[in-house]
């Protein structure tokens, strides 16, 4: 369990505020995360890392000289939003371009790519790269689907050192890829972890057993076996990882023994002592060692082994000094010719333009419906979290509640300022995406954005414009997430809803009649996802475990559209 918190929904914000205050000599607060206290030298590539909270020292703790320029900080176990990543990148980019890099998770990929595209559209050189070192999460012939865990530190550290050495953005990206191609990690867990405010862990491990192939977001192991002695555990991890040694790798490797939260350093030292004997046996030259907490999963009791095979260039850059709140190597001299910067306040309030009376009336209804959405999500938050915990990280309910609350609050604030339907829904969607993070934030932000832009600010809302907006939102969701019907995602419920709504309106029914009918079809489709195997996202490595359980994203969508349908039917509009 987590022992210290105020409001679990504000855990990430409060932890980040305390972190910045404790390390004000090294980092500053920027919208969406943290950045180095000193400016990026002009023309130097900036490296922005990021991910959800709950993994310290990743990610905010790795910001500082010799390592990352900034870190986008998401909610607990949830990707930062595209807006957050963009904000951090804008705070640190200084003419040399920016590398946005993180672990290979669906939400992170969506949001980091979204930020990259926005930066490029503004003329900023930007690239993304996603670490894939977890050998348990996909087979070697599908390595591009693997998760990024502890060895991602090597990608961040070496890429950052290359940037500080003056390499170009293309060179830094190529180097990050080369490092990643030589990273392999496997982890085990002896117990699960519990999200702040939750009363039960995301998964449990029977006494005397251990999960093998665990993730860092509360995902249970791919397999389970009896707990082993340190020597036998070292052999199991070593044999699995070295079996995937890249064909063109040399004999030098960095060794990381990472603690996932509750395993103490002394225990990790015992594990490393047995691992180094295996390295000597197999002729692996230990080029560098890290033993301790590199990326954690709250209080999960577990450990992982990473091997990073290095060449001369990679090793030279790895050995460069670094000085961050959570990681230090060597001695960093005075940072010369770097301007010391202050914290950056949140972005200014949204500008509200002219809107017709018809559009304002539609905006008022939209705000009421968003209140209903928030109340519905809050009511089912625990249920959604439990569904997500079956094969995922259990944060869907929390993330949805944060997003829906932010959207409802933004809608009410803009309503008081006379906003039309487009402005209100587009900005509510942006708030949902920023506060929910992860894949759900991107999806619901896109849905609200699509409907808002179809309604406009200067025309009355009509059933046809609502249908157009839902269709546009659905197209954006498919384009951004890459999911298709049958992949066991929200799309499985969204597609039938959009199709039925369009058919009902075309047949002459009112929105109050058509929406509940579409919601009923969505609910049937959402329930039917229990018979599907996930093909995308964090549930994919645990596909068989999810069989018999409906997709939480599809269920939350069905719950929301059903609640909206009830409101529309009650109003007769």
């Amino acid at each position: 369990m987590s022992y210290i918190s105020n409001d679990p929904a504000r855990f990430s914000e409060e932890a980040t505020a305390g972190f910045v205050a404790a390390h004000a000599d090294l980092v500053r607060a920027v919208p969406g995360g943290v950045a180095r206290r000193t400016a990026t030298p002009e023309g130097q590539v900036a490296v922005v890392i990021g991910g959800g909270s709950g993994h310290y020292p990743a990610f905010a703790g790795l910001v500082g000289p010799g390592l990352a320029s900034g870190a986008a900080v998401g909610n607990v176990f949830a990707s930062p939003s595209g807006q957050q990543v963009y904000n951090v990148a804008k705070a640190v980019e200084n003419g040399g371009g920016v590398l946005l890099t993180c672990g290979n998770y669906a939400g992170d990929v969506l949001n980091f790519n979204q930020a990259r595209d926005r930066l490029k559209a503004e003329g900023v050189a930007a690239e993304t790269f996603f670490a894939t070192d977890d050998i348990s999460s996909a087979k070697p012939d599908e390595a591009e689907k693997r998760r990024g865990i502890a060895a991602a530190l090597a990608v961040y550290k070496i890429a950052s050192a290359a940037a500080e050495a003056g390499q170009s953005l293309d060179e830094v990206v190529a180097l990050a890829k080369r490092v990643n191609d030589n990273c392999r990690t496997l982890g085990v867990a002896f117990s699960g972890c519990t999200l702040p405010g939750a009363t039960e862990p995301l998964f449990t491990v029977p006494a005397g057993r251990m999960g093998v192939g665990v993730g860092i977001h509360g995902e249970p192991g791919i397999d389970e076996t009896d707990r082993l002695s340190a020597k036998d555990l070292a052999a199991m991890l070593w044999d699995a990882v070295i079996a995937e040694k890249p064909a063109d790798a040399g004999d030098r490797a960095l060794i990381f023994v990472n603690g996932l939260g509750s395993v103490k350093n002394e225990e990790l030292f015992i594990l490393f002592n047995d691992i180094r004997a295996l390295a000597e046996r197999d002729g692996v030259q230990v080029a560098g060692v890290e033993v301790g907490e590199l990326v954690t999963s709250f209080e999960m009791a577990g450990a992982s082994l990473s091997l990073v095979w290095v060449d001369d260039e990679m090793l030279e850059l790895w050995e460069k000094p670094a000085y961050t709140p959570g990681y230090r190597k060597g001695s960093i001299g005075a940072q010369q010719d770097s301007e010391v910067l202050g914290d950056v306040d949140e972005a200014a309030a949204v500008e509200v333009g002219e809107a017709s009376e018809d559009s304002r009336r539609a905006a008022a209804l939209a705000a009421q419906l968003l209140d209903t959405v928030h109340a519905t999500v809050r009511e089912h938050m625990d249920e959604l979290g439990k569904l997500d915990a079956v094969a995922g990280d259990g944060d869907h309910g929390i993330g949805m509640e944060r997003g829906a609350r932010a959207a409802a609050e933004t809608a009410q604030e803009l309503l008081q300022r006379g906003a039309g339907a487009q402005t209100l829904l587009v900005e509510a969607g942006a708030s949902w995406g920023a506060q929910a993070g992860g894949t759900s934030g991107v999806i619901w932000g896109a849905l609200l954005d699509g409907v808002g832009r179809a309604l406009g600010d200067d025309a009355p809302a009509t059933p046809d414009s609502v249908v157009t907006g839902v269709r546009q939102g659905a197209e954006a969701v498919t384009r951004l997430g890459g999911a298709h019907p049958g992949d066991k995602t929200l799309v499985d419920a969204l597609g039938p809803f959009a199709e039925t709504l369009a058919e009902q309106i075309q047949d002459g029914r009112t929105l109050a009649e058509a929406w509940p009918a579409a919601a009923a079809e969505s609910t049937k489709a959402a329930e039917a996802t229990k018979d599907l195997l996930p093909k995308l996202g964090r549930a994919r490595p645990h596909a068989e475990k999810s069989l018999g359980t409906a997709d939480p994203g599809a269920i939350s969508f069905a719950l929301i559209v059903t609640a909206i349908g009830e409101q529309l039917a009650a109003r007769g509009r």
Side-chain angles (χ1 to χ4, degrees), residues 46-59:
V47 177
V48 172
I49 63 175
S53 300
H55 303 301
Y56 194 85
F59 296 89

Side-chain angles (χ1 to χ4, degrees), residues 238 255 274-286:
W238 178 267
I255 296 180
D274 291 322
I275 286 171
R276 72 183 181 92
L278 297 171
E280 183 176 353
R281 179 199 70 187
D282 291 345
V284 175
Q285 300 175 30
V286 181

Side-chain angles (χ1 to χ4, degrees), residues 483-494 529 532 535-536 551 553-554:
H484 301 284
D487 286 347
K488 196 166 188 173
T489 69
L490 173 144
V491 169
D492 290 304
L494 172 58
T529 60
L532 300 175
K535 298 178 182 178
L536 296 171
D551 177 70

Side-chain angles (χ1 to χ4, degrees), residues 445-463:
L447 286 171
L448 294 181
D449 186 273
V451 175
R453 294 187 188 282
L455 297 183
D457 279 336
D458 56 3
T462 66

Side-chain angles (χ1 to χ4, degrees), residues 8 30 141 157 354:
V30 298
D141 59 355
K157 169 68 176 68
E354 294 294 325

Side-chain angles (χ1 to χ4, degrees), residues 172-197:
V172 172
V173 173
L175 183 58
K177 181 181 186 306
R178 199 163 91 239
V179 175
N180 183 71
D181 288 345
N182 285 277
C183 292
R184 303 290 187 273
T185 300
L186 181 64
V188 299
F190 313 108
S191 71
C193 59
T194 308
L195 298 175

